[in-house]
Amino acid sequence: MTATAVDWGNFSATPQDYAQRPAHAPTLLHTLKLEIADKGFADFVVDLCAGTGNLTATLASLGLGGYAIEPEAEMRREARRLNRDGAFQWRDGYAEATGLPDNTASWILIGNALQFVDAIKALEECSRILKAGGFLTVLWNPRDIRLDAFQREIDQLIREACPAVRHTFTDTEAAIRPVEQSGHFRPYLYCERTDWHEMSVETFMATWRGAHYVPSQIGPQAWRDLLQTIAARAYTRDVLRTGWRTRAWTFRVTPPDDGN
């Protein structure tokens, strides 16, 4: 079997590039915060698999605080360099084993990460650390190739160069199925929003260097060649206006005596 450019779920080689990825839609998160605060569950928030703190920073800007839990030391180090350790205390831990006490979290968020963990164990852990009535939000913010014509062009380049590559964000309904089937949570709210970001070509390329679904499926040389192809197309433009679609599924923890 040919080695891939990166191992599935390992972001340790690209933390500074990954940190330049646009954050999940702040307006959407503000709406969720108001809804959850109205229910009295915004006092202790956990950002699970927090990466370099892109989501953490947005949550802190909304006046929230709690813990950011991330297993990779390089990602935590980059988060500290970016001063993302204010309202949230950073901890070394896993989605499957947070190290937090029972019934402590009011709201848990998992951004762009559920596909990288053992979902069954992670959901059991979320259920354990959530207070009765607490919330879990699972969200992604992939490139919006439906609305963004330029990123659709890049997607076509990838399909032509690497036709066997699977797009891991194209079926998020399947990705959240473990939550729906776990028995620990019941659906509460779904929302989505596309945000547009102006960025330099270098920042755009950083979002690709920090990407994961392509280099985890092809070899190192093929990935280097593909990055050059993407860069050649990107450098035909001075500034890029790119669309990123945040999709968020929010669930409420099922009471232990609830058989539904």
Side-chain angles (χ1 to χ4, degrees), residues 96-198:
E96 304 88 344
T98 63
L100 296 177
D102 293 355
N103 308 314
T104 55
S106 299
W107 185 16
I108 299 172
L109 297 98
I110 305 176
N112 292 344
L114 186 63
Q115 68 273 26
F116 297 122
V117 305
D118 183 323
I120 294 175
K121 291 181 179 178
L123 293 168
E124 289 176 350
E125 179 72 350
C126 288
S127 175
R128 179 186 70 78
I129 67 174
L130 274 171
K131 297 177 182 178
F135 292 87
L136 167 68
T137 296
V138 182
L139 65 166
W140 288 266
N141 68 327
R143 304 165 197 274
D144 194 337
I145 60 174
R146 307 166 309 145
L147 301 180
D148 186 335
F150 178 71
Q151 296 212 91
R152 197 160 55 245
E153 289 179 27
I154 300 299
D155 181 68
Q156 185 60 33
L157 288 177
I158 295 169
R159 290 177 184 274
E160 291 171 358
C162 309
V165 165
R166 294 179 298 103
H167 287 235
T168 56
F169 286 131
T170 56
D171 191 1
T172 44
E173 283 81 1
I176 64 158
R177 202 164 294 143
V179 189
E180 298 170 333
Q181 297 175 345
S182 70
H184 296 300
F185 299 92
R186 57 180 183 269
Y188 183 79
L189 180 66
Y190 169 79
C191 47
E192 68 174 74
R193 175 186 169 91
T194 294
D195 280 358
W196 293 85
H197 300 268
E198 284 196 0

Side-chain angles (χ1 to χ4, degrees), residues 195-206:
D195 280 358
W196 293 85
H197 300 268
E198 284 196 0
M199 58 181 63
S200 67
V201 173
E202 180 53 35
T203 298
F204 180 73
M205 291 309 302

Side-chain angles (χ1 to χ4, degrees), residues 239-252:
V239 176
L240 299 173
R241 183 173 182 267
T242 59
W244 301 73
R245 182 188 182 199
T246 298
R247 305 185 71 193
W249 286 261
T250 298
F251 301 84
R252 201 159 196 182

